[in-house]
Amino acid sequence: MAQIKPDIIYKYFKNLNSEQTVQFEKLFELYSFWNAQINVISRKDIEELYERHILHSLGIAKFCSFKKGEKVLDVGTGGGFPGIPLAILFPETQFHLVDSIGKKIKVVTEVAQALGLKNVKASHSRAEQITDKYNFVVSRAVTRLGDFYPWVRGKFAKENLNAIQNGILYLKGGDLTEEIKESKLKAELYPLSDYFEEEFFDTKYVVYVPQ
């Protein structure tokens, strides 16, 4: 398979340093290798890795820049999305990636190690078992918001370090009106099409639930 380049990342994130550039470039080779052994993303999707998985994950960064010293929990991370791309972008923020499926966490651990990411911790665990406190919880459409919220309620640090209040940053697509209403949460929707022009993002959102 031809090497796929992360040009789409550079299009939207122009201030990457040389280390970040190398790390983003390595992602295709790393995920191609691990995906062939442990299926963490759809096989037919691997050539769309940079747009549909990495840039999608970085949609959170267009809405919120994580700060030095903040702690972020990625629930149901799968093979490391959105946590790994965000950890590359924000090296001074601590990321804790959790998934209840052990082989997916193996991929996360191996990828983080190969990239030399010192700010990533990976746990084979359910979100409910995590006892630490975080500034933000991120996730990529693991379940409906109303089901997701009880897993992470009470996991937020009291102190806010960011321009926005601590809370959930959830990547989700489609018509979310009913789901938000059903969850009874004060959720704010930010369309990714405001940041990225590719058609894939037309129906995708960052859902922000402040604590």
Side-chain angles (χ1 to χ4, degrees), residues 56-67:
H56 187 210
S57 297
L58 294 174
I60 287 174
K62 285 293 186 188
F63 171 66
C64 171
S65 276
F66 296 123
K67 304 292 180 229

Side-chain angles (χ1 to χ4, degrees), residues 11 16 30 68 72 100 121 129 169 178 208:
K11 175 178 168 183
L16 302 173
L30 285 166
K68 181 177 182 176
V72 178
S100 59
K121 173 174 143 184
Q129 297 165 314
L169 297 166
E178 203 51 47
Y208 170 50

Side-chain angles (χ1 to χ4, degrees), residues 4 14 38 42 46 50 82 93 106 110 162 174 181 183 190:
I4 308 281
K14 300 192 188 305
I38 298 167
S42 156
I46 194 76
Y50 283 110
T93 302
K106 178 179 170 53
E110 296 288 345
N162 211 295
K181 195 172 154 187
S183 74
Y190 295 88

Side-chain angles (χ1 to χ4, degrees), residues 163-188:
I164 63 168
Q165 193 181 332
N166 294 346
I168 296 169
L169 297 166
Y170 204 61
L171 290 165
K172 198 103 203 246
D175 184 353
L176 302 173
T177 319
E178 203 51 47
E179 185 174 332
I180 288 170
K181 195 172 154 187
E182 169 199 286
S183 74
K184 298 187 170 60
L185 295 168
K186 278 193 177 141
E188 299 168 16

Side-chain angles (χ1 to χ4, degrees), residues 31-168:
Y31 277 109
S32 299
F33 174 79
W34 283 107
N35 210 50
Q37 300 179 55
I38 298 167
N39 202 13
V40 288
I41 59 178
S42 156
R43 295 266 155 90
K44 64 181 192 308
D45 236 15
I46 194 76
E47 293 195 9
E48 307 294 340
L49 177 78
Y50 283 110
E51 179 181 298
R52 296 188 180 173
H53 298 277
I54 295 164
L55 190 60
H56 187 210
S57 297
L58 294 174
I60 287 174
K62 285 293 186 188
F63 171 66
C64 171
S65 276
F66 296 123
K67 304 292 180 229
K68 181 177 182 176
E70 284 190 318
K71 289 170 72 182
V72 178
L73 177 67
D74 178 1
V75 172
T77 188
F81 303 105
I84 294 266
L86 290 170
I88 293 174
L89 204 60
F90 300 107
E92 296 190 310
T93 302
Q94 295 302 312
F95 290 86
H96 187 182
L97 280 55
V98 304
D99 203 284
S100 59
I101 299 168
K103 61 185 183 181
K104 292 188 173 178
I105 284 298
K106 178 179 170 53
V107 174
V108 170
T109 306
E110 296 288 345
V111 169
Q113 217 165 357
L115 296 173
L117 291 173
K118 305 272 190 288
N119 59 334
V120 169
K121 173 174 143 184
S123 301
H124 172 206
S125 174
R126 300 183 68 82
E128 304 94 310
Q129 297 165 314
I130 304 293
T131 55
D132 285 2
K133 302 283 188 199
Y134 301 87
N135 299 94
F136 293 97
V137 172
V138 299
S139 192
R140 213 165 64 130
V142 290
T143 186
R144 291 177 78 80
L145 265 176
D147 297 328
F148 181 80
Y149 186 71
W151 299 351
V152 299
R153 183 174 36 215
K155 295 200 190 329
F156 296 94
K158 286 192 167 54
E159 189 188 3
N160 295 294
L161 304 175
N162 211 295
I164 63 168
Q165 193 181 332
N166 294 346
I168 296 169

Side-chain angles (χ1 to χ4, degrees), residues 1-12 16 20-30 32 45-55 198:
M1 191 188 290
Q3 174 74 22
I4 308 281
K5 291 287 185 194
D7 295 343
I8 197 167
I9 307 300
Y10 307 149
K11 175 178 168 183
Y12 293 108
L16 302 173
Q20 289 168 318
T21 304
V22 168
Q23 287 169 329
F24 279 121
E25 283 184 356
K26 280 183 175 174
L27 286 177
F28 180 74
E29 192 183 335
L30 285 166
S32 299
D45 236 15
I46 194 76
E47 293 195 9
E48 307 294 340
L49 177 78
Y50 283 110
E51 179 181 298
R52 296 188 180 173
H53 298 277
I54 295 164
L55 190 60
E198 286 71 19

